[in-house]
Amino acid sequence: MRRRLSTVLAALVLGLAGTITAASPALAAGETATFTKTSDWGSGWEGKYTITNAGTASISGWRVEFDLPAGTTLGSYWDALLTSSGNHHTFTNREYNGTLAPGASVTFGFLASGSGTPQNCRVNGASCTGGTDPQPGVPAVPGNVRVTGATASAITLGWSAVSGATGYRVYDGTALRTTVTGTSATFSGIPACTSRTYTVAAYNSVGESARSAPVTGTTTGCQSADLPRHFLTGYWHNFVNPATELRLSAVPNEYDLVAVAFAEATSTPGAVTFGVDPGLSTALGGYTNDQFKADVATLKSRGKKVILSVGGEAGRVSVGDSASATNFANSVRSIMTEYGFDGVDIDLENGLNPTYMAQALRSLRSAVGSSLIITMAPQTIDMQSTGGSYFALALSIKDILTVVHTQFYNSGSMLGCDQSQAYSQGTVNFITALACIQLENGLRPDQVAVGLPAGPGAAGGGVVAPSVVTNALDCLARGTNCGSFRPPRTYPEIRGAMTWSINWDVANGNNFARTVAPHLDTLP
């Protein structure tokens, strides 16, 4: 099983910032940074900072840093380099605008989503208003703010004591959550597998400090399926088509999760059935159900996970009431027990009822436990809005959902999260802009993967070179190798990639898996 990494990366251009180093700022007294909102359209705005050297010596470089409140995110920017840590953003000069003679000014600008504006601004380490911070005697900003513990319903923070402080205020966005005299605070009553972002300020009789850099904590209780931090999913055909027929045990080792396609509807509403397709059995020289079960065990002995996919383009499984939800859960549970499947994939391309499918999946989870893998494979149109049935289902089972690997193909051009233009399928822009919709509207990054065809023949449109997939993953995880669209932030925990299908990949020389799988190992 491939290695698992845990780190927090930030910045839409972290790779760029790692190779271009701004000159060290000369801390000349008198530099200021003034913020101006140059445009506001309700859901977002355009901002500009003007850096002015009001001192008597030249400045050889500048750095402007500030916090944005929770719910406000950065988008595109210009005339500066950016690094970010949570909601704390640091802009530094480009190679052409770092030197400021006395009295000279430069500007940089950016777009933001949300209504908040910059807070706690500092230029070259000092107050953006120039000189020392106002109100001498106000405590310093608390440092080393960190998550010290988490349970299924609570998050505990800690920080370093500040000299001269009589107490501390902890904020969630702009809302004050608690006031304490010590250097820790616990917040209870939070749902399982839920993230909260906090800042801490120190205060005394003189006033309150600026707020700390934000820190995010997550309650426990998230889906645990013993999968790599970043993993590759592939669909295996239980039918015959022009792709290569394979025994399940012949699946290449690059795949971490194998989705067996497909379980089929029965005459009982909601219930599904599964067995080796007779045509496939013949093509493979007599492949039996018992041989298939042995192959499931073989893959699992290699550290792989094998799940049952329900639906497909021709699937007619319908779960539209409580009775059919029970039938679905019971039948999937029975098939899992008989064949050794680790979970279920929902690939209903002809519509679903989010209320009753959620009921079915929660019932299945109760029967199987936290090891149950639940994946979803919606079409792009299904994940354009949180009001869509697929998106609604994903959000309603977020606490038990493993991953959504949307099919970024067979869709034509579609709007991305910026809602500014229709991006053409088969491009980095299309993949990143549409994945951004899910990432910015409720799903955690570890619950989002990108789904692409394995090569020629696998789809009617949206077929891309594997390098396009790896570039899209880099853009989402690191902010590098993007197209003209840049997501408003990076998502280091983006879960990985899916392909339709393993059989088509083998028919095309395994190029998809051999390119994408090792690249997943390089992601943060």
Side-chain angles (χ1 to χ4, degrees), residues 36-41 44-47:
T36 306
K37 186 184 286 188
T38 58
S39 181
D40 192 323
W41 50 91
W45 43 270
E46 178 180 329

Side-chain angles (χ1 to χ4, degrees), residues 20 35 152 189 221 250 268 475 504:
I20 299 177
F35 171 73
T268 301
C475 181
W504 278 112

Side-chain angles (χ1 to χ4, degrees), residues 236-241 245-248 274-292 295 503:
W236 176 87
H237 297 183
N238 183 37
F239 51 83
V240 174
N241 73 353
E245 291 86 21
L246 296 172
R247 284 184 56 134
L248 190 67
F274 177 80
V276 174
D277 177 74
L280 178 64
S281 176
T282 299
L284 294 175
Y287 193 32
T288 67
N289 284 344
D290 286 341
Q291 289 172 327
F292 176 87
D295 284 353
N503 302 71

Side-chain angles (χ1 to χ4, degrees), residues 191-497:
C193 196
T194 299
S195 296
R196 293 284 189 267
T197 300
Y198 302 101
T199 55
V200 182
Y203 71 89
N204 60 16
S205 59
V206 179
E208 180 178 297
S209 74
R211 297 180 195 175
S212 68
V215 61
T216 299
T218 303
T219 52
T220 61
C222 296
Q223 169 72 15
S224 175
D226 194 28
L227 284 161
R229 177 177 171 87
H230 307 291
F231 65 84
L232 179 62
T233 299
Y235 283 82
W236 176 87
H237 297 183
N238 183 37
F239 51 83
V240 174
N241 73 353
T244 302
E245 291 86 21
L246 296 172
R247 284 184 56 134
L248 190 67
S249 58
V251 168
N253 196 54
E254 287 87 353
Y255 291 94
D256 301 296
L257 179 64
V258 178
V260 172
F262 294 100
E264 299 177 349
T266 71
S267 58
T268 301
V272 297
T273 187
F274 177 80
V276 174
D277 177 74
L280 178 64
S281 176
T282 299
L284 294 175
Y287 193 32
T288 67
N289 284 344
D290 286 341
Q291 289 172 327
F292 176 87
K293 295 173 189 176
D295 284 353
V296 171
T298 295
L299 283 186
K300 293 172 72 171
S301 73
R302 298 174 187 164
K304 311 302 180 182
K305 300 293 183 181
V306 186
I307 61 176
L308 177 66
S309 183
V310 177
E313 181 182 7
R316 293 295 182 271
V317 178
S318 178
V319 178
D321 53 35
S322 291
S324 58
T326 299
N327 293 337
F328 180 90
N330 290 343
S331 61
V332 171
R333 173 63 170 152
S334 177
I335 296 169
M336 288 180 62
T337 301
E338 180 180 359
Y339 286 87
F341 290 118
D342 297 296
V344 64
D345 172 65
I346 307 302
D347 186 10
L348 300 177
E349 298 182 17
N350 296 285
L352 59 79
N353 183 307
T355 299
Y356 293 109
M357 181 54 75
Q359 176 185 323
L361 293 173
R362 289 195 178 279
S363 176
L364 183 62
R365 164 66 180 250
S366 295
V368 175
S370 62
S371 64
L372 178 70
I373 296 172
I374 300 176
T375 70
M376 297 166 60
Q379 301 171 98
T380 50
I381 190 65
D382 297 323
M383 301 300 287
Q384 282 281 288
S385 167
T386 56
S389 59
Y390 245 112
F391 213 142
L393 173 62
L395 294 176
S396 72
I397 62 166
K398 180 179 175 180
D399 57 314
I400 63 172
L401 175 66
T402 306
V403 70
V404 176
H405 35 238
T406 302
Q407 303 173 42
F408 291 126
Y409 49 93
N410 289 343
S411 61
S413 298
M414 303 198 76
L415 288 171
C417 67
D418 57 352
Q419 297 290 295
S420 66
Q421 62 178 293
Y423 293 100
S424 300
Q425 67 178 347
T427 63
V428 169
N429 281 341
F430 183 87
I431 300 168
T432 54
L434 270 69
C436 173
I437 296 175
Q438 300 167 45
L439 292 161
E440 292 295 315
N441 285 279
L443 292 181
R444 303 190 310 271
D446 67 284
Q447 292 177 312
V448 178
V450 299
L452 281 307
V463 177
V464 300
S467 60
V468 174
V469 182
T470 58
N471 285 345
L473 291 168
D474 282 342
C475 181
L476 292 167
R478 297 188 178 99
T480 61
N481 292 328
C482 298
S484 59
F485 171 81
R486 285 186 173 274
R489 70 188 82 231
T490 55
Y491 313 95
E493 294 178 338
I494 189 78
R495 204 59 195 270

